[in-house]
């Protein structure tokens, strides 16, 4: 028997070589999604899947869904699938797991490690990013009538390059929740244009000495009550909210030919106007002069008009009813007779292209589009679930939904680019610097334009 | 003599076998640590170094880009330099304040007083409290309108800033908050204080030294190794400030609290630029390494070890 002693030098040599070898091995993607494994049945997602194929072998497969939301609490997904889906698909069992904490981090590390479940929730804005990188399977076999029933903006979020990769579980458009007690007390009418938003806003904005924003001697650094607020300027909600003002002013991030237009005049004007709401008209409180108490600025009656999404109806009508008179107001267009182009966006369910049970996953990803689920999700979650006919059925119970549904019709999805993370990051930076910060909108948007141009060039290069 | 010579190879052989057996057992016992070190430290470190030269989106295979990430960081990323500035600002103020605060606290905790163990436990508690919970607590304390800090400032007739929502006050707010954790450092100082020989104080007292002289000429010199240790650990820890900014401000307002590791995290997980984030991690490592080497070089000038008398 060879009992050769391993001296320190030998050990270090072996350990070092092993370490480097393992490190090199670790650099090779574990489950490169671009080379996604075929399903056991060898079925590609381009053909209509056979959900009960697994059942032929007598074993039901369990399809697990991961999402950051408490979908069992607010939309009762497990109850729904047990009642409506599993009896019709005996080969498939459904399991929902809520993933708490930082979803993005957990999702991407799971994707890198090849441990994503068969189904996962995807924020609609990220779907092109994930699909272009081979994470999501095409969802086929959808009744065209159902697809056509989706609001165009919601359908836009489900699709990438003309194919469906996710089904909407919840989507949103924008409007304002308004403290009507404060509006009536001020004796003003709700604004219907941007100019009116400023003039009415100045009547509703009051400093601690009781002076209105329109009056001489008004102190914008000592606000008692402000007229306006929207989401700005960091976080995806900011891109969602602020882009709508650029769209409503005729601007966009880039045009159909993917030429970047974010630093063009319409976008610059819109950002300048938003910046003026803070620095010139004082109706939107700058940072530091007014911060929410435990109940928030709007619930705390510090802000009169607060921009929000349809999801907020659950709070307003059910879980956190305001103690004052309130209403929903459509976001005003720039000019009378014009349209405010709302941002539309929400969450989807997508099937894992590298999953073990692709056909069953695709079938299980489809139920959220069904009449039954759309109605249930909308009812329990007070959400817009994407389909027009179903959403309209909810109007009799939740009349405030009407304005959000109208906004769905004229709204649009954010840029459908596989490099969206870089695009939204550039936009948020520019919005923050120009609206709350001291940079000129043109300069800030020029910076964003360059970054977005680089992102689009990368996207073009990867195809 | 001859018999002794003949015996020698046998003894050497036996000793060699014994040494070999001991070595095998030695390797066996340290194998778990070596395995853990390789898997959880060495391989990730080597991998991150290699990844820093790639365009790696986490969900796709890495693509070699050479030094592009490093070049971009220094030439095309304004926020990189801003995050570095924010972090350096935080380190510059929070580390000295933390050391002075902890040292002062440890002096108080070293006083012979009834129930002192209770006080020691209370001051140490923040060090073992979850960073997220602490952050949420401080968000309430810093609230401009109903926060306790501004309530006290107003009641004293002082200016009550916007703290976390005001770009000028956000970094100072984090520095103030960093003092919350001085209990952990204070315990190390306390251990050091209790190791200072009583005989030195007694000798000084006989020589007529007053309290301040005893503190300045005995306590401080004897504590310099502990100060040095806490200074190094403080700088390393402060350069990695993350949780507070992640939970409380997400880097705002207007990037005033965009600390280095937060920006690194955002690059890696929000923008899927893990290669870029890895390059940032290595730059941070080099910055910390340089600062640590400088501190060790300077230590000879002010850190006093009892055994160092020979050097003088």
């Amino acid at each position: 028997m060879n009992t050769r002693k391993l001296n320190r030098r030998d050990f270090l040599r072996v350990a070092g070589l092993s370490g480097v070898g393992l490190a090199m091995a670790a650099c090779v993607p574990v489950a490169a999604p671009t080379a996604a494994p075929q399903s056991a049945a060898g079925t590609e997602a381009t053909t209509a899947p056979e959900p009960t194929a697994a059942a032929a072998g007598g074993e039901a497969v369990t399809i697990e869904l991961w999402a950051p939301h408490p979908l069992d609490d607010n939309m009762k997904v497990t109850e729904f699938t047990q009642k409506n889906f599993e009896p019709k698909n005996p080969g498939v069992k459904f399991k929902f797991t809520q993933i708490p904490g930082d979803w993005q981090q957990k999702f991407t590390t799971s994707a890198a490690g090849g441990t994503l479940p068969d189904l996962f929730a995807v924020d609609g804005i990220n779907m092109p990013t994930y699909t272009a990188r081979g994470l999501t399977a095409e969802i086929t076999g959808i009744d065209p009538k159902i697809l056509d029933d989706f609001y165009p903006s919601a359908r836009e979020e489900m699709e990438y390059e003309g194919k469906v990769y996710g089904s909407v579980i919840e989507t949103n458009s924008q409007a304002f929740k308004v403290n009507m007690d404060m509006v009536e007390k001020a004796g003003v009418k709700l604004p219907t244009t941007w100019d009116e938003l400023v003039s009415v806003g100045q009547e509703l904005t009051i400093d601690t000495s009781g002076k209105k924003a329109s009056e001489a001697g008004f102190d914008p650094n000592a606000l008692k009550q402000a007229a306006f607020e929207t989401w700005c300027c960091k976080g995806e909600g900011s891109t969602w909210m602020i882009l709508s003002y650029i769209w409503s002013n005729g601007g966009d991030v880039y045009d159909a030919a993917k030429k970047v237009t974010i630093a063009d005049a319409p976008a610059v004007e819109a950002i300048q106007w938003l910046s003026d709401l803070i620095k010139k008209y004082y109706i939107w409180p700058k940072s530091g002069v007014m911060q929410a108490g435990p109940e928030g600025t709007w619930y705390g009656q510090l802000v009169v008009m607060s921009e929000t999404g349809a999801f907020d109806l659950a709070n307003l009508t059910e879980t956190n009813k305001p103690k004052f008179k309130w209403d929903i107001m459509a976001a005003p267009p720039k000019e009378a007779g014009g349209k405010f182009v709302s941002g539309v966006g929400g969450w989807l369910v997508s099937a894992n292209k590298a999953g073990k049970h692709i056909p069953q996953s695709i079938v299980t990803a489809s139920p959220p589009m069904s009449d039954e689920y759309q109605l249930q999700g909308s009812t329990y979650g007070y959400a817009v679930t994407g389909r027009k006919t179903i959403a309209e059925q909810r109007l009799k119970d939740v009349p405030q939904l009407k304005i959000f549904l109208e906004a769905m019709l004229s709204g649009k999805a954010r840029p459908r680019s596989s490099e969206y993370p870089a695009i939204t990051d550039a936009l948020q930076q520019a919005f923050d610097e120009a609206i709350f910060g001291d940079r000129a909108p043109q300069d800030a948007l020029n910076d964003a334009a360059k970054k977005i141009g680089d992102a689009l060039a990368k996207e073009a290069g990867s195809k | 003599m001859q018999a002794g010579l003949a015996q020698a190879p046998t003894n050497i052989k036996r000793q060699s076998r014994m040494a070999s057996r001991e070595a095998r057992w030695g390797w066996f016992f340290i194998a778990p640590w070596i395995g853990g070190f390789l898997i959880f430290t060495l391989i990730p470190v080597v991998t991150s170094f290699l990844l820093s030269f790639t365009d790696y989106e986490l969900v796709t295979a890495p693509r070699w880009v050479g030094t592009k990430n490093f070049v971009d960081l220094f030439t095309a990323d304004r926020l990189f330099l801003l995050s570095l500035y924010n972090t350096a600002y935080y380190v510059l103020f929070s580390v000295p304040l933390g050391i002075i605060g902890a040292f002062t606290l440890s002096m108080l905790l070293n006083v012979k007083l009834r129930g002192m163990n209770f006080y020691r436990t209370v001051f140490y508690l923040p060090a073992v409290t979850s960073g997220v919970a602490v952050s949420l607590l401080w968000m309430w304390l810093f609230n401009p309108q109903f926060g306790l800090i501004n309530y006290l400032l107003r009641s004293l007739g002082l200016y009550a800033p916007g703290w976390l929502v005001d770009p000028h006050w956000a970094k100072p707010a984090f520095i103030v908050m960093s003092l919350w954790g001085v209990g952990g450092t204070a315990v190390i100082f306390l251990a050091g204080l209790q190791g200072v020989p009583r005989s030195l104080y007694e000798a000084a007292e006989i020589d007529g030294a007053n309290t301040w002289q005893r503190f300045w000429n005995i306590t401080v010199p004897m504590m310099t190794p502990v100060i040095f240790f806490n200074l190094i650990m403080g700088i390393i820890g402060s350069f990695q400030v993350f949780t507070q900014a992640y939970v409380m401000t997400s880097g705002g307002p207007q990037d005033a609290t965009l600390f280095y590791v937060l920006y690194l995290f955002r690059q890696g997980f929000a923008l899927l630029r893990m290669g870029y984030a890895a390059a940032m991690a290595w730059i941070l490592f080099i910055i910390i390494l340089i600062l640590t080497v400088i501190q060790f070089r300077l230590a000879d000038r002010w850190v006093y070890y009892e055994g160092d008398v020979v050097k003088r």
Side-chain angles (χ1 to χ4, degrees):
Chain A
M1 196 174 82
N2 185 3
T3 55
R4 183 173 167 267
K5 190 175 158 185
L6 189 66
N7 63 28
R8 194 174 63 171
R9 185 173 293 175
D10 286 339
F11 167 74
L12 288 174
R13 190 162 52 214
V14 171
L17 285 170
S18 307
V20 172
L22 285 167
M24 298 296 281
C27 290
V28 178
V30 179
T34 44
Q38 296 292 305
S39 67
T43 313
E44 242 306 339
T46 46
T47 54
E50 288 297 331
T52 52
E59 277 182 40
V61 296
T62 299
I63 301 297
E64 188 175 4
L65 165 67
W66 281 7
H69 320 94
L71 292 179
D72 265 342
D73 294 334
N74 65 11
M75 289 189 180
K76 306 207 184 300
V77 285
T78 303
E79 187 184 305
F80 173 82
T81 47
Q82 283 171 352
K83 190 174 154 194
N84 297 285
F85 175 74
E86 287 179 5
K88 295 176 196 164
N89 298 272
V92 184
K93 292 269 176 213
F94 174 81
K95 182 186 172 194
F96 169 66
T97 303
Q98 186 189 354
I99 306 296
D102 191 326
W103 166 256
Q104 177 79 3
Q105 183 192 359
K106 289 174 181 172
F107 178 85
T108 45
T109 46
S110 295
T115 56
L116 280 177
D118 298 293
L119 294 178
F120 43 76
V122 177
D123 190 336
I125 50 165
N126 289 326
M127 198 266 274
T129 305
Y130 298 152
T131 301
R133 286 158 179 80
L135 292 187
T136 58
E138 185 191 351
I139 300 175
T140 53
I142 308 163
D143 183 346
K145 282 182 191 162
I146 286 181
L147 272 183
D148 290 342
D149 191 34
F150 276 93
Y151 287 99
S153 48
R155 182 168 171 179
E156 211 181 333
E157 280 228 311
M158 293 159 55
E159 294 179 342
Y160 179 62
E161 297 186 335
K163 292 177 181 173
V164 176
Y165 289 95
S167 52
V168 174
I169 50 173
E170 177 227 19
T171 189
N172 280 284
S173 55
Q174 295 156 221
F176 282 88
K177 53 186 177 185
V178 182
N179 183 324
M180 292 306 292
D181 281 347
M182 292 167 100
V183 169
E184 286 167 13
K185 189 181 168 194
V188 292
K189 284 186 178 172
L190 292 178
T192 56
T193 63
W194 286 11
D195 284 346
E196 283 181 21
L197 183 75
V198 171
S199 58
V200 170
Q202 289 195 310
E203 293 298 305
L204 290 167
T205 303
I206 302 165
D207 70 11
T208 47
S209 67
K211 283 198 167 66
K212 293 176 182 172
S214 55
E215 293 175 338
F218 169 81
D219 183 359
N221 293 314
L223 287 187
K224 183 187 171 195
Q225 168 185 317
F228 171 95
E229 69 176 7
T230 188
W231 300 5
C232 196
C233 287
K234 285 292 175 80
E236 185 51 40
S238 164
T239 309
W240 181 50
M241 288 288 185
I242 303 300
L243 264 186
S244 60
Y245 290 89
I246 291 174
W247 291 331
S248 301
N249 199 42
D252 209 337
V253 179
Y254 51 80
D255 62 17
K258 298 233 164 166
K259 177 180 170 284
V260 180
T261 56
I262 195 64
D264 290 0
V268 175
E269 283 168 17
I271 297 302
Q272 182 65 59
W273 182 75
L274 286 166
S275 174
D276 286 348
L277 294 185
I278 298 171
K279 298 162 197 161
K280 185 175 172 186
Y281 306 121
Y282 309 126
I283 68 169
W284 182 4
K286 66 180 178 183
S287 57
V289 296
M290 184 179 274
Q291 200 196 12
E295 66 265 83
T297 46
W298 188 75
Y299 277 97
Q301 307 207 53
L302 298 172
V303 167
V304 185
M305 297 178 281
S306 178
E307 201 160 15
T308 190
F311 65 88
D312 214 0
L313 287 175
N315 301 319
L316 294 163
T317 60
E318 195 67 30
T319 56
N320 191 14
K321 293 178 184 175
K323 295 183 179 101
F324 47 84
K325 190 175 161 190
W326 64 276
D327 204 353
I328 296 294
M329 175 187 93
K334 187 183 179 190
E335 284 156 355
K339 282 265 180 212
F340 182 86
V341 184
S342 168
V344 170
W347 282 78
L348 319 167
V349 167
S350 289
N352 182 0
K353 195 175 176 185
K356 291 177 190 159
H357 314 293
I358 295 173
Q360 293 86 354
S361 303
I362 292 168
V363 169
T364 320
S366 303
M369 300 185 206
S370 68
D371 290 15
E372 297 85 0
Y373 176 78
Q374 289 269 314
L375 193 57
Q376 170 163 323
S378 174
T379 304
Y380 286 118
Y382 281 78
V384 180
T385 43
R387 280 183 54 193
K388 189 167 175 289
T389 54
I390 307 291
E392 284 170 353
Q393 288 179 43
R394 293 282 297 141
L395 280 173
K396 63 179 188 301
D397 295 324
V398 192
Q400 297 90 349
L401 197 57
K402 185 170 184 286
I403 285 167
F404 289 105
L405 297 187
E406 285 167 0
M408 288 293 297
L409 283 170
S410 57
K412 61 189 278 184
R414 281 154 281 174
R416 308 299 291 156
S417 166
S418 62
E419 295 301 321
Y420 184 77
I423 292 172
T424 189
D425 186 64
L427 291 173
Q428 287 167 38
Q429 189 64 31
F431 297 162
D432 192 40
E433 290 174 354
I435 295 174
F436 274 102
D438 296 327
R439 277 194 98 189
Q442 184 71 67
D443 292 346
L445 290 173
N446 281 343
D447 277 3
K450 182 175 180 316
K451 291 180 198 165
I452 292 166
D454 291 346
L456 292 177
K458 187 179 177 190
E459 181 181 34
S462 65
K463 284 185 178 173
Chain B
M1 185 71 179
Q2 214 149 19
L5 283 172
Q7 194 72 18
T10 318
N11 284 341
I12 290 168
K13 226 177 196 176
R14 192 180 301 140
Q15 280 170 5
S16 171
R17 270 205 306 272
M18 192 182 286
S20 174
R21 194 166 60 240
E22 281 179 356
R24 277 201 301 275
W25 277 109
W27 288 118
F28 175 77
F29 283 120
I30 62 168
W33 183 88
I34 290 173
F37 173 74
L38 285 174
I39 295 166
F40 298 115
T41 305
L42 184 64
I43 293 171
V45 165
V46 173
T47 307
S48 85
F49 182 71
L50 294 174
L51 286 177
S52 69
F53 297 100
T54 66
D55 175 10
Y56 178 44
E57 296 178 323
L58 206 61
V59 293
T60 53
R63 192 171 56 87
W64 189 262
V65 293
T67 56
K68 183 176 183 300
N69 290 331
F70 293 94
V71 172
D72 283 356
L73 276 164
F74 285 104
T75 60
D77 191 343
R78 196 164 48 83
L79 290 182
F80 163 72
L81 294 175
L82 179 65
S83 69
L84 205 51
Y85 164 75
N86 287 340
T87 311
Y89 181 106
Y90 176 80
V91 172
L92 192 65
F93 289 97
S94 70
V95 173
L97 274 177
I99 287 177
I100 292 167
F103 197 8
T104 310
L105 180 63
S106 67
M107 300 281 285
L108 293 172
L109 295 177
N110 201 31
V111 174
K112 283 192 171 62
L113 197 74
R114 194 179 159 85
M116 184 50 84
N117 284 342
F118 171 75
Y119 295 118
R120 287 174 183 169
T121 307
V122 167
F123 281 108
Y124 187 69
L125 271 179
V128 291
T129 312
S130 146
V132 174
V134 170
S135 300
L136 292 173
L137 171 76
W138 277 89
M139 281 173 78
W140 286 82
L141 289 172
F142 279 131
N143 188 291
Q145 274 154 356
F146 62 84
L148 190 63
I149 292 172
N150 275 7
Y151 173 78
L152 290 173
L153 290 173
R154 281 196 202 100
S155 61
L156 292 170
L158 296 172
Y159 172 65
W163 294 115
L164 300 175
V165 291
D166 185 333
H168 301 106
W169 283 96
K171 274 192 288 289
F174 279 101
I175 291 163
V176 170
M177 184 184 159
S178 70
L179 290 173
W180 166 265
V182 296
T185 313
V187 168
I188 299 171
F189 275 123
L190 187 59
L193 283 173
Q194 291 179 349
V196 179
R198 286 295 316 155
S199 57
L200 295 178
Y201 292 109
E202 286 160 6
E205 270 180 65
I206 291 166
D207 289 345
N210 61 26
T211 309
W212 171 253
Q213 286 168 326
R214 288 200 300 274
F215 170 75
W216 190 248
N217 295 305
I218 297 172
T219 309
V220 172
M222 292 301 285
M223 289 296 287
T224 50
V226 185
I227 296 172
F228 178 58
F229 170 78
N230 282 326
L231 182 67
I232 287 183
M233 298 311 286
I235 288 177
I236 292 172
S238 298
F239 261 104
Q240 296 173 52
V241 57
F242 171 76
T243 310
Q244 305 93 302
Y246 178 69
V247 174
M248 296 166 74
T249 58
S250 300
Q254 288 156 54
D255 298 321
T257 61
L258 182 68
F259 294 120
Y260 195 90
V261 178
L262 178 63
Y263 188 51
L264 183 159
F265 176 85
R266 195 183 286 173
Q267 289 292 332
F269 290 104
L271 300 180
L272 300 178
R273 299 176 74 189
M274 200 52 81
Y276 198 75
M280 285 186 71
W282 276 91
I283 289 170
L284 180 63
F285 167 71
I286 289 165
I287 290 170
I288 291 176
L289 182 71
I290 290 170
L291 287 174
T292 308
V293 168
I294 290 171
Q295 286 176 82
F296 268 98
R297 289 278 163 84
L298 294 176
D300 284 347
R301 299 184 186 182
W302 65 276
V303 179
Y304 167 77
Y305 294 100
E306 269 182 291
D308 275 358
V309 179
V310 183
K311 281 188 179 175
R312 298 194 171 191

